[in-house]
Amino acid sequence: MEDQTIRVQLSETNKQKPKSDQLIFGKTFTDHMFVMDYSDPLGWHNASIVPYQPLTIEPSAMVFHYGQSVFEGLKAFRTKDGEIQLFRPTKNLERLNHSNDRLVIPPIDEEFVLKAIKQLITVEKDWVPDAEGTSLYIRPFIISTEPYIGVAPACHYKLIVILSPVGAYYKEGINPVKIAVENHYVRTVKGGTGEAKTGGNYAASLKAQELVGKEGFAQVLWLDGVEKKYIEEVGSMNVFFKIDGEVVTPMLNGSILAGVTRDSVIRLLKHWNIPVSERRISMEEIRQAHQDGKLEEAFGSGTAAVISPIGQLTWEGEDLIVNEGKTGEISQKIFDTITGIQYGKMEDPFNWIVNVETKSTVKN
Amino acid sequence: MEDQTIRVQLSETNKQKPKSDQLIFGKTFTDHMFVMDYSDPLGWHNASIVPYQPLTIEPSAMVFHYGQSVFEGLKAFRTKDGEIQLFRPTKNLERLNHSNDRLVIPPIDEEFVLKAIKQLITVEKDWVPDAEGTSLYIRPFIISTEPYIGVAPACHYKLIVILSPVGAYYKEGINPVKIAVENHYVRTVKGGTGEAKTGGNYAASLKAQELVGKEGFAQVLWLDGVEKKYIEEVGSMNVFFKIDGEVVTPMLNGSILAGVTRDSVIRLLKHWNIPVSERRISMEEIRQAHQDGKLEEAFGSGTAAVISPIGQLTWEGEDLIVNEGKTGEISQKIFDTITGIQYGKMEDPFNWIVNVETKSTVKN
Ligand SMILES: Cc1ncc(COP(=O)(O)O)c(C=O)c1O
Ligand SMILES: Cc1ncc(COP(=O)(O)O)c(C=O)c1O
């Protein structure tokens, strides 16, 4: 078990915080970060909050060569009352351990890391923006740092948590996007690492993304790597369709990431008694539903956008326009409800919210 | 085009070189490394040979999050006359660019990087060991260093070349290994990144490797990700079988790495008029050939071991013993010939060897 104390070393100078209308996702980071080391046989140790700073890593560190890395992404929200709250953080830490297992990285103590994240946010509380739709993005990640270029699981790792204030995803209202169905490249396959949040999956996705981006599409829709028939995800989001009154989403099959937003969408729909099912969905079925006038809505789900409506799906030269390119009713309702809960404007029937203590004084 | 001069900054103190019987692959590195930066719109620049040292990288650098990285592996050999020579380095640099393309990393000038590698080895010439079977392993790699956690190709990269002296792979003679056929996990799939030498493929392979390692197997044999029927690679080597007098190897299908050793084996076999073909090979075919007494040899091919004979293949509970668990005639002949060429003991009919200038004086 790791040493349960978190050492805090505060930075001497603080950065200037960007204005809330000038926040760009993932480019500005706060004044501090959380760092923890792993080594055999010590286990996870050296938990500390330190000034945000570059890492000093050997060129032979395994992460540079064999991609042994995992990460998570979640957000802290500021409520009207000035409180700070997290949305389902335990799901993210559970998933981090699931990713760790697939990548042969030693497990973390989820409770302890949640405590560390909360403490880090307490230190950085002034970095949580309060303008409509803004939030503080939290990026925990683990990298193998052992200086050894043999292909084997490493004996040294670092877990790091960095924070980045992010602007509103939909500054000018929700805008449905154009998606290209990808027939050549795949993100991953059953038996691969698709279920895990590991760097290699994202590296694999860049090429397809780049090619369709040049043609004016926002993202690709990934088909399964085995038959290239069944729908998996859209960009780095899970995907939902409303067909003839029923909401469907691809079932978790080993190559799809189990999104926290995906799970939240399903639970909300059930709560509302809207029929929802997780199952295999072929692209052919979607084309048929579209042709029959039964494809009512389509949207992606993920932490970044919460809900990203799909206005057009292009497959084999055919453009399937969904809901006249407008945001669907269910899509909007889910978006409003999840963000309502996140910002403390709506009731939280599922106990999804975890509060961050902001009144405490942090001692150096 | 990059600036074609290579700045050289020699280290003030040199490490003690390990004895040639104490060389461990990938743990000891030489006194210097080659580094080059990429940024938009400058392109590749800042080519320098500098003292081997840790990298200083932002925690938000893309390589830690989205695995945008590629690498190569080749060797320098010392001949009886004290000369230093490389084996087919242009093939590795060609492949590096192929990997770059798949990972949306800007291409390198292959000729220039070869020149840089040669110059680095000239600086480190005393690190090339001369004992039987030893060599200097060369590891070029490229990582995305841009401090941005958006999923998109980076605008900043580093190409680094590090060198590690390696001991003889077969200290006590060639020893055929036991291999387990992997039915659950896959390394990659068609449309994925299998053709590229990128970190994620190796990260994906760790779990299967770890599980079979506990059962006493040296490596796994990977089946295709689509049907889990066809043979792809073995561990991180290409694979060959001799069946009824003919040598066969899986054809390059998009998910198999185009090994330099694989290509060399094929060319040698053709040169010797031994029938060789690249085609789809199912595991069932191998079992049948074994049953019919026609599975004469099986071996992996790669830079590390050159040839690694397979003495046993275990599939679905069945142990297929190959050539009574002994090294086959062809396996041995290929090994002797390739290593013979590498160490300058044998004629080089294909012009595979590239010499490194060792007489020049390096100026600071
Ligand atoms: C590949 C992929 N799928 C789906 C998701 C959605 O997951 P979540 O809702 O937990 O953000 C993400 C990321 O966030 C992702 O990277
Ligand atoms: C996955 C994989 N396959 C095959 C090979 C063999 O390639 P080469 O002969 O170029 O070393 C390697 C590595 O060296 C590899 O990593």
Side-chain angles (χ1 to χ4, degrees), chain A residues 11-38:
Chain A
S11 107
E12 279 165 25
T13 55
N14 287 338
K15 299 174 196 164
Q16 214 192 319
K17 296 178 185 68
K19 296 216 179 82
S20 64
D21 59 348
Q22 282 161 15
L23 297 172
I24 300 166
F25 172 73
K27 294 215 173 182
T28 310
F29 298 90
T30 67
D31 296 310
H32 300 86
M33 62 189 192
F34 173 76
V35 186
M36 184 161 74
D37 296 313
Y38 179 92

Side-chain angles (χ1 to χ4, degrees), chain B residues 95 187 197 202 233 236-238 257 259-262 301-303:
Chain B
R95 188 169 65 188
R187 192 183 82 91
K197 218 165 155 70
Y202 299 82
E233 306 199 32
S236 45
M237 291 183 284
N238 295 113
L257 192 80
V260 176
T261 318
R262 176 186 181 279
S301 76
T303 295

Side-chain angles (χ1 to χ4, degrees), chain B residues 156-209:
Chain B
H156 303 289
Y157 299 87
K158 262 187 197 304
L159 178 151
I160 300 172
V161 183
I162 57 178
L163 307 174
S164 174
V166 284
Y169 199 90
Y170 296 113
K171 285 194 191 76
E172 286 131 27
I174 300 188
N175 203 0
V177 292
K178 287 189 194 178
I179 300 290
V181 179
E182 178 59 48
N183 278 316
H184 178 68
Y185 294 106
V186 300
R187 192 183 82 91
T188 176
V189 70
K190 197 168 170 156
T193 53
E195 273 187 309
K197 218 165 155 70
T198 179
N201 296 341
Y202 299 82
S205 78
L206 297 174
K207 183 83 181 177
Q209 205 74 13

Side-chain angles (χ1 to χ4, degrees), chain A residues 171-189:
Chain A
K171 284 193 192 78
E172 286 128 28
I174 299 189
N175 203 0
V177 292
K178 287 189 194 177
I179 300 291
V181 179
E182 177 60 47
N183 278 316
H184 178 67
Y185 294 107
V186 301
R187 194 183 81 89
T188 174
V189 70

Side-chain angles (χ1 to χ4, degrees), chain B residues 163 252 271:
Chain B
L163 307 174
L252 301 178
H271 185 66

